[in-house]
Amino acid sequence: VVAVDVGGTEIKAALFTGTGDDVTAVARQRLATPKTGNGSTTADAVVEAVAGLVVTLGAHTERPVDAIGVVVPGVVDEETGTGVYSANLGWRDHPFRARLSELVGRPVAFGQDVRAGGLAEVRLGAARGLRDAVVLPIGTGIAATLVVGGRVLAVDGEIGHVDVGHGDRCGCGRTGCVEAHGSSAAIARRFTARTGRPVAGAADVAALVRAGEKDATVVWQEAVDALARGILVLAALLGPRAVVLGGGLALAGDLLVDPLRDRIDELTTFHRRPELRLAALGDEAGCLGAALLALDTLEEKR
Ligand SMILES: [Zn+2]
């Protein structure tokens, strides 16, 4: 299968062989995401780029490519194969799956990048083998992939917008949301608001925390508190064995995991304390997830 992860700046693609539990990349390719000014033409340019990747990557195997898996950011309707909305790339209601099937003449699986990455962590990564787990990518926003009783639930929930009581306003218009303190974007923004010092992102704040800088430490602790409370909501509802931390913020490693574990311990009474793990697949997760979606389509056809 050819798997393609369309990002805001870059398209990552690979040719995979294997089954739904074990995939191997045979060849990889990356290219800049085409941007043509308006959303619908951008979507068409992305479709053409993906079709081109199927040809160039397909040349690395003597067998025909069986299926294509494509994941994109934003709001996605997986049933109809539609890219409903992408703030970054500007499209609305683009029928990606239909256009691509026409162009490549193969079955096309179409999904959302974060959910697909979560699926990959569940089937191939840090949550592999667990019947109850949550994959929590923390980046600009916060999403969750839920595994309940061994099944990955396709949900549109918004754990990032649960009110955890800090009282600060969120971009969504309400107050107290997990991501208004806990996302990478919030950490960078809140540090700058507090100190007047611009930073490139949460990684800069993390470096200052390591160096013992006071304001960075306060912002970091407040982020940890919001995330711990959000995880406790998940623990109360689902009782997961593990929570897999992913996304850009998870690159902070122990600086995130250790205080988060302590804060969860302080706040927990009788709930099962989920084990905290770091995501295993890094920025490959979306592409691997797209491969799994493509392989699943083939399974369904059998
Ligand atoms: Zn919110």
Side-chain angles (χ1 to χ4, degrees):
V1 299
V2 169
V4 185
D5 177 7
V6 178
T9 55
E10 191 183 41
I11 297 179
K12 300 188 197 85
L15 172 71
F16 287 98
T17 61
T19 64
D21 301 313
D22 183 22
V23 295
T24 309
V26 177
R28 296 174 195 277
Q29 197 177 342
R30 291 186 179 214
L31 44 92
T33 306
K35 287 184 187 166
T36 48
N38 109 22
S40 58
T41 55
T42 297
D44 282 329
V46 165
V47 166
E48 269 172 43
V50 172
L53 286 165
V54 173
V55 173
T56 51
L57 286 167
H60 290 267
T61 171
E62 281 165 18
R63 300 193 46 224
V65 172
D66 290 323
I68 322 297
V70 181
V71 300
V72 302
V75 182
V76 167
D77 184 337
E78 279 153 7
E79 294 274 297
T80 61
T82 308
V84 177
Y85 176 66
S86 164
N88 259 334
L89 293 167
W91 59 61
R92 279 184 188 276
D93 295 322
H94 195 81
F96 279 94
R97 191 169 60 210
R99 290 279 154 77
L100 271 166
S101 323
E102 255 170 52
L103 267 178
V104 298
R106 299 259 179 280
V108 175
F110 182 72
Q112 200 250 3
D113 56 357
V114 176
R115 278 206 290 270
L119 178 70
E121 287 292 346
V122 169
R123 301 246 295 259
L124 308 168
R128 186 171 192 163
L130 295 179
R131 292 184 57 76
D132 295 281
V134 174
V135 183
L136 199 66
I138 308 166
T140 312
I142 299 172
T145 298
L146 311 179
V147 188
V148 177
R151 297 187 49 185
V152 180
L153 304 187
V155 292
D156 288 327
E158 290 283 356
I159 187 65
H161 297 279
V162 166
D163 184 349
V164 290
H166 56 65
D168 286 337
R169 192 155 289 280
C170 175
C172 75
R174 298 188 59 217
T175 57
C177 295
V178 174
E179 69 177 55
H181 276 194
S183 69
S184 306
I187 289 171
R189 187 184 63 240
R190 296 187 72 239
F191 175 78
T192 299
R194 197 182 164 91
T195 61
R197 290 165 62 187
V199 285
D204 286 3
V205 182
L208 290 166
V209 175
R210 284 187 205 283
E213 205 277 345
K214 251 172 48 191
D215 291 300
T217 305
V218 171
V219 168
W220 196 263
Q221 280 166 348
E222 288 175 350
V224 163
D225 184 73
L227 292 168
R229 290 173 190 277
I231 288 170
L232 284 178
V233 171
L234 293 166
L237 285 173
L238 304 168
R241 288 277 163 204
V243 172
V244 174
L245 305 167
L249 201 62
L251 299 177
D254 291 347
L255 189 72
L256 176 67
V257 174
D258 291 344
L260 194 51
R261 187 183 292 123
D262 292 347
R263 192 69 189 119
I264 288 170
D265 282 349
E266 283 165 17
L267 293 169
T268 313
T269 54
F270 67 95
H271 292 310
R272 178 193 283 167
R273 269 165 235 210
E275 181 194 337
L276 297 183
R277 299 183 182 181
L278 289 167
L281 304 174
D283 73 349
E284 291 283 306
C287 204
L288 283 162
L292 293 175
L293 293 177
L295 288 163
D296 288 352
T297 348
L298 296 172
E299 281 295 313
E300 281 160 24
K301 284 195 178 1
R302 247 166 230 148

